[in-house]
Amino acid sequence: MRRTVAALALLAGFALVGSAFYLTRSTAPAPVVAPQEGARERARERATVLGVTDGDTLVVSPLEGRRRGREQRVRLIGLDAPETRPRPRCWARESTSALLRLVPRGSTVTLAFDRRRFDDHRRQLRYVWTASGEFVNARQLAEGNAFALRVRPNVAHAEEFARLERQARAARKGLWGSCPDPGPPSHAPRPSATPGS
């Protein structure tokens, strides 16, 4: 008799716990938060890397959408790498090589825009992630391959980028430890119309 009462009490306990779990669990699917989520970032697209022109510019071919298969130049938002032309500045070649190692030709990347989609040279302004989820814009700054560049309205990651530049400078990484007088390129971005936005 005692065994029966104990067994019934145990079953009642399991039933109570099971009911509580069932009533408190959500029937909605859990949200999926992409690691590349930013405050103002818009739709994402995947593209194949065709090449790298310098430490802050890629040539890609989108894998989907209306621009699929078309060659496009993509300028990384939030940074400015040393210029390669007309004459390479200090660390320009190293910055370009570092970007090519991150996103080699033929690799697939994910692109996302902020508010302004194009620059004055008709390059797409994008945040870029590797297939493994590495944030390319941030990596170039963290390794000292570029200067942080804050240009409104594309400022979703501006604070993070400024912090990464400060850390690279303090650790004398990349251009900060190799160039005699590191400073951002002398050109300044000019605001203009935003085609396609």
Side-chain angles (χ1 to χ4, degrees), residues 46-49 63 102-110 128-132:
R46 292 182 318 122
T48 300
V49 176
L63 294 171
L102 268 174
V103 288
R105 289 179 187 91
S107 63
T108 300
V109 292
T110 300
V128 178
W129 289 266
T130 66
S132 64

Side-chain angles (χ1 to χ4, degrees), residues 122-133:
R122 297 289 302 162
R123 293 175 296 188
Q124 293 188 30
L125 298 170
R126 298 293 187 265
Y127 299 112
V128 178
W129 289 266
T130 66
S132 64

Side-chain angles (χ1 to χ4, degrees), residues 141-142 160-173 176:
L141 289 164
E160 174 188 1
F161 291 168
R163 177 182 55 79
L164 291 170
E165 181 191 86
R166 285 192 304 273
Q167 290 173 348
R169 185 185 309 160
R172 300 184 55 77
K173 288 186 174 181
W176 301 109

Side-chain angles (χ1 to χ4, degrees), residues 11-91:
L11 285 174
F14 283 135
L16 185 61
V17 170
S19 297
F21 171 77
Y22 181 78
L23 293 173
T24 58
R25 75 180 176 93
S26 171
T27 56
V32 178
V33 179
Q36 58 263 47
E37 194 66 45
R40 295 184 181 87
E41 290 158 22
R42 306 298 196 262
R44 290 167 176 68
E45 63 184 359
R46 292 182 318 122
T48 300
V49 176
L50 302 178
V52 166
T53 59
D54 59 28
D56 58 34
T57 307
L58 311 173
V59 179
V60 303
S61 175
L63 294 171
E64 53 215 2
R66 59 188 172 103
R67 297 187 194 100
R68 182 180 178 190
R70 294 187 197 165
E71 185 175 298
Q72 297 180 319
R73 287 194 311 153
V74 172
R75 173 73 156 74
L76 300 177
I77 296 173
L79 59 124
D80 201 3
E83 299 300 322
T84 56
R85 286 179 235 155
R87 190 175 51 115
R89 291 189 59 171
C90 181
W91 207 255

Side-chain angles (χ1 to χ4, degrees), residues 106-183:
S107 63
T108 300
V109 292
T110 300
L111 311 172
F113 63 89
D114 200 326
R115 295 199 173 192
R116 183 179 177 199
R117 295 188 187 198
F118 294 87
D119 70 4
D120 296 336
H121 305 288
R122 297 289 302 162
R123 293 175 296 188
Q124 293 188 30
L125 298 170
R126 298 293 187 265
Y127 299 112
V128 178
W129 289 266
T130 66
S132 64
E134 186 162 16
F135 192 5
V136 175
N137 308 52
R139 178 68 181 273
Q140 281 291 84
L141 289 164
E143 295 300 318
N145 293 316
F147 304 94
L149 179 68
R150 182 183 183 113
V151 180
R152 291 189 178 280
N154 291 351
V155 294
H157 294 277
E159 297 305 318
E160 174 188 1
F161 291 168
R163 177 182 55 79
L164 291 170
E165 181 191 86
R166 285 192 304 273
Q167 290 173 348
R169 185 185 309 160
R172 300 184 55 77
K173 288 186 174 181
L175 62 87
W176 301 109
S178 301
C179 298
D181 186 21

